[in-house]
Amino acid sequence: MRRFFLILFSVILLFCSCSSDEPRVFTELRMDTVCSITVYTKEDESLVPGAFDIIADISSLIDMYDSSSEISYINENAASFPVAVSDELFSLISKAYSVTEYTDGAFNLAIGPLVSLWQIGTEDAHRPSEEEIRNTLPLLDWHNIVLDEEAMTVSFLQEGMKIDLGGVGKGYVADALAAYFRENGTKSAIINLGGNVYVIGSRTDGKPWTVGLQDPESSRGGYYTTLKCSDTSIVTSGGYERYFVDEDGTVYHHILDSRTGYPASSDLISTSIISPDSTLADMLSTACYVMGREKGEQTVRHYGVSAVFLTDENEEVRIGI
Ligand code: AMP
Ligand code: MG
């Protein structure tokens, strides 16, 4: 399948130019996403190529569209035999499994077959038939993924299952990049992987960063609220990020509900999670978008993160801020 870049907006806008040092911004298209890294010193600039190498290394583990990735190897073989997995990928899959269980599949690591069916974000995106959806739903049951912690293997109890880490991968990469810059002494930097932002340290003048959350209804540049924050990740999910419109004008977006087989539809139109654990924030932003306000609030409190939700009535809900 050819991939098709449909990044219409950056979800989060950053206002970081109000300090005395000039930002140096480096942008590359990676993981189907416009990835930009902003640093402020010559020393930090020298770290940027290493950061893009980290993105490439992690993609080779988790990108289900890359047939040579480790996740593709699992997806091809785990129904035939228990597949031995690297420490790194096993621990990410375990974390994704645990959030899948807690959210009862609102975030579902086993959503791969449904994502492949719709192909949203590719030039082959289409609305599947009812029958195709009916046949796919049984393949999304995460209880049929067996993780053996001793042997560090993954098996599928059913043919045709697929793990999709698309709803957690950017957060995981953001955490790895934040750790890399911190270990190398960086005091101020911004990592922006599409909707996943990690602000490292504070602005060069010592003040917190100001982050704008994009208004789903406005064209590029509009935001519905701003946050002041330091040393944390801000991850947003919204149905306006990747979608296609069919002949009769119906919009189908990329966050799918594994109970119905269709794009998720709740009382939330944008969900942002704020946490220094970007891997977790990424999964929870997707889960809350699917679950809606009430269960989303409970989940945010359970995990001890903060959140900003925008409801379908344009109400801004702040939790833990
Ligand atoms: P995000 O943009 O982080 O909300 O994640 C969306 C991506 O995660 C999609 O492009 C799919 O690859 C995958 N995905 C879609 N729906 C779900 C879901 N309910 N649970 C987990 N991953 C999902
Ligand atoms: Mg996500």
Side-chain angles (χ1 to χ4, degrees):
M1 174 169 57
R2 255 186 70 202
R3 303 192 78 185
F4 176 59
F5 303 116
L6 188 66
I7 314 290
L8 297 182
F9 309 107
S10 167
V11 175
I12 297 181
L13 312 161
L14 294 161
F15 309 100
C16 47
S17 56
C18 359
S19 62
S20 51
D21 300 80
E22 274 300 305
R24 302 149 201 252
V25 186
F26 301 86
T27 301
E28 290 192 18
L29 192 57
R30 298 289 180 96
M31 303 184 296
D32 214 7
T33 300
V34 178
C35 299
S36 71
I37 297 175
T38 306
V39 290
Y40 293 84
T41 65
K42 272 265 169 237
E43 296 75 57
D44 290 343
E45 188 176 332
S46 71
L47 299 171
V48 171
F52 282 110
D53 289 347
I54 290 174
I55 300 180
D57 288 348
I58 297 179
S59 297
S60 74
L61 296 181
I62 64 172
D63 185 352
M64 95 169 172
Y65 296 98
D66 171 358
S67 58
S68 64
S69 70
E70 197 177 349
I71 197 73
S72 292
Y73 185 76
I74 295 174
N75 285 339
E76 264 161 46
N77 297 297
S80 310
F81 58 88
V83 176
V85 178
S86 64
D87 290 11
E88 186 175 359
L89 188 55
F90 192 84
S91 97
L92 179 60
I93 290 174
S94 303
K95 207 167 170 182
Y97 192 95
S98 127
V99 173
T100 299
E101 287 223 289
Y102 183 78
T103 63
D104 200 21
F107 175 88
N108 185 356
L109 88 164
I111 200 136
L114 191 63
V115 171
S116 298
L117 183 64
W118 282 85
Q119 300 189 33
I120 296 171
T122 79
E123 58 192 2
D124 299 322
H126 67 290
R127 184 196 157 130
S129 69
E130 295 288 336
E131 192 190 355
E132 286 173 310
I133 290 190
R134 233 186 357 261
N135 293 339
T136 304
L137 291 183
L139 303 176
L140 313 182
D141 184 352
W142 65 93
H143 299 99
N144 289 330
I145 298 178
V146 180
L147 304 181
D148 181 335
E149 279 183 35
E150 288 279 294
M152 293 242 294
T153 57
V154 177
S155 337
F156 298 156
L157 300 181
Q158 216 176 346
E159 194 71 48
M161 295 185 73
K162 254 192 218 176
I163 295 177
D164 176 2
L165 299 173
V168 59
K170 282 180 270 162
Y172 184 70
V173 170
D175 279 335
L177 295 182
Y180 165 76
F181 279 106
R182 285 195 189 111
E183 277 158 20
N184 284 286
T186 300
K187 299 276 184 289
S188 299
I190 303 163
I191 296 155
N192 188 348
L193 313 173
N196 281 62
V197 171
Y198 210 118
V199 288
I200 296 170
S202 46
R203 288 182 355 181
T204 52
D205 60 5
K207 294 187 178 146
W209 306 98
T210 305
V211 177
L213 304 186
Q214 189 187 312
D215 182 350
E217 314 239 300
S218 113
S219 58
R220 191 185 185 95
Y223 53 92
Y224 72 89
T225 196
T226 60
L227 301 170
K228 296 269 185 212
C229 44
S230 316
D231 251 329
T232 195
S233 165
I234 308 98
V235 183
T236 298
S237 288
Y240 52 92
E241 286 176 82
R242 280 172 204 228
Y243 59 84
F244 76 95
V245 185
D246 78 1
E247 310 85 57
D248 64 13
T250 312
V251 175
Y252 297 98
H253 62 73
H254 74 310
I255 303 176
L256 302 172
D257 186 331
S258 50
R259 292 165 303 189
T260 63
Y262 284 86
S265 165
S266 74
D267 54 357
L268 299 178
I269 55 172
S270 172
T271 51
S272 297
I273 306 290
I274 300 102
S275 166
D277 181 342
S278 193
T279 306
L280 177 64
D282 197 357
M283 292 188 275
L284 295 185
S285 70
T286 309
C288 291
Y289 187 87
V290 175
M291 288 189 289
R293 179 173 176 175
E294 195 183 332
K295 281 198 179 154
E297 276 199 49
Q298 284 168 12
T299 302
V300 162
R301 292 190 201 286
H302 169 82
Y303 281 101
V305 297
S306 304
V308 184
F309 296 159
L310 187 63
T311 73
D312 54 4
E313 296 190 333
N314 253 7
E315 187 189 345
E316 179 185 326
V317 181
R318 290 190 174 220
I319 306 151
I321 301 174

